[in-house]
Amino acid sequence: QSVLTQPPSASGTPGQRVTISCSGSSSNIGSNYVYWYQQLPGTAPKLLIYRNNQRPSGVPDRFSGSKSGTSASLAISGLRSEDEADYYCAAWDDSLSAPWVFGGGTKLTVL
Amino acid sequence: EVQLVESGGGLVQPGRSLRLSCAASGFTFDDYAMHWVRQAPGKGLEWVSGISWNSGSIGYADSVKGRFTISRDNAKNSLYLQMNSLRAEDTALYYCAKDFYAAMVNGYFDLWGRGTLVTVSS
């Protein structure tokens, strides 16, 4: 049972816009930044969004993040086949002895 | 090239020990906190342990506390994870990850290795 809650799956067709939600609580998303990681099949996770809505160098602007209260979202516009991957949200949690918490991951399928 | 390379994984019996290593290159290793994150087969990510730049601050997930020990050698640009009393539920791909910050406070993982597989089975 992950501390952050994500839908297990999402899907879309090429060119569509899809969103992936991440729900937490006041001790994590509600009071700290949210991060998103992309894990392509068979590879290590890669930082996709940091500090709620910032993109590292090299990440296309098709990817965007947002946060409101104790929830966050990742949006992918102009969906492409290479976006098919697992996506994880993460945040610092003020209340836990193990402060870095992840969502369970969302498998994005491009139909 | 900026990279992290893990090693030391393998098949081990329950109750035995294993030591993982992570070799860092391409950045100033002792400027950053470092972490171990694991992923059980077909499962999500779980933070295991982290260590600040100078080893002054260390943390563990409750699931490994008392059994695992993280350490680093800044002179060798290396991170380690000593895993004792291994259990079947420790079976996972173990990733080494670099923190954006030097301290273990509200950071994030901006560089990951490719992982080393640990299988605990009799």
Side-chain angles (χ1 to χ4, degrees):
Chain A
Q1 189 82 4
S2 301
V3 174
L4 305 181
T5 301
Q6 297 179 237
S9 63
S11 63
T13 56
Q16 262 191 334
R17 182 178 188 271
V18 298
T19 61
I20 297 172
S21 62
C22 176
S23 177
S25 66
S26 58
S27 65
N28 43 64
I29 292 178
S31 53
N32 295 292
Y33 290 122
V34 177
Y35 304 90
W36 291 91
Y37 297 90
Q38 178 192 56
Q39 187 174 33
L40 296 169
T43 70
K46 176 187 116 175
L47 180 66
L48 192 66
I49 296 289
Y50 66 100
R51 294 178 189 162
N52 300 335
N53 55 20
Q54 303 299 301
R55 285 185 308 277
S57 173
V59 173
D61 59 7
R62 302 185 296 104
F63 294 90
S64 62
S66 63
K67 184 185 110 168
S68 177
T70 59
S71 294
S73 291
L74 172 70
I76 309 171
S77 59
L79 197 62
R80 303 174 69 161
S81 59
E82 55 261 41
D83 298 333
E84 188 161 289
D86 293 324
Y87 293 86
Y88 294 90
C89 60
W92 172 280
D93 194 304
D94 296 326
S95 69
L96 301 176
S97 58
W100 282 269
V101 292
F102 289 92
T106 298
K107 180 174 181 58
L108 175 63
T109 301
V110 181
L111 302 169
Chain B
E1 181 185 0
V2 177
Q3 64 176 354
L4 299 168
V5 180
E6 302 92 338
S7 61
L11 174 62
V12 61
Q13 293 179 327
R16 303 298 291 265
S17 300
L18 208 58
R19 188 193 195 211
L20 305 184
S21 299
C22 170
S25 58
F27 64 96
T28 306
F29 182 70
D30 54 9
D31 276 352
Y32 302 98
M34 297 293 296
H35 304 269
W36 289 99
V37 178
R38 69 185 180 184
Q39 185 171 33
K43 301 296 184 181
L45 302 171
E46 179 191 17
W47 178 81
V48 173
S49 182
I51 185 169
S52 63
W53 68 280
N54 62 352
S55 303
S57 180
I58 287 175
Y60 299 96
D62 288 343
S63 57
V64 306
K65 200 171 292 183
R67 301 186 297 120
F68 290 11
T69 301
I70 192 172
S71 62
R72 64 190 295 163
D73 185 337
N74 288 344
K76 294 183 178 180
N77 290 341
S78 293
L79 176 72
Y80 306 101
L81 186 68
Q82 177 67 42
M83 304 186 296
N84 299 332
S85 303
L86 282 162
R87 306 167 180 167
E89 54 264 36
D90 295 319
T91 294
L93 188 59
Y94 285 73
Y95 293 106
C96 169
K98 171 187 166 294
D99 200 306
F100 182 77
Y101 299 114
M104 278 233 309
V105 180
N106 210 345
Y108 57 96
F109 316 119
D110 62 353
L111 178 67
W112 298 64
R114 301 179 74 168
T116 186
L117 182 62
V118 173
T119 303
V120 183
S121 174
S122 54

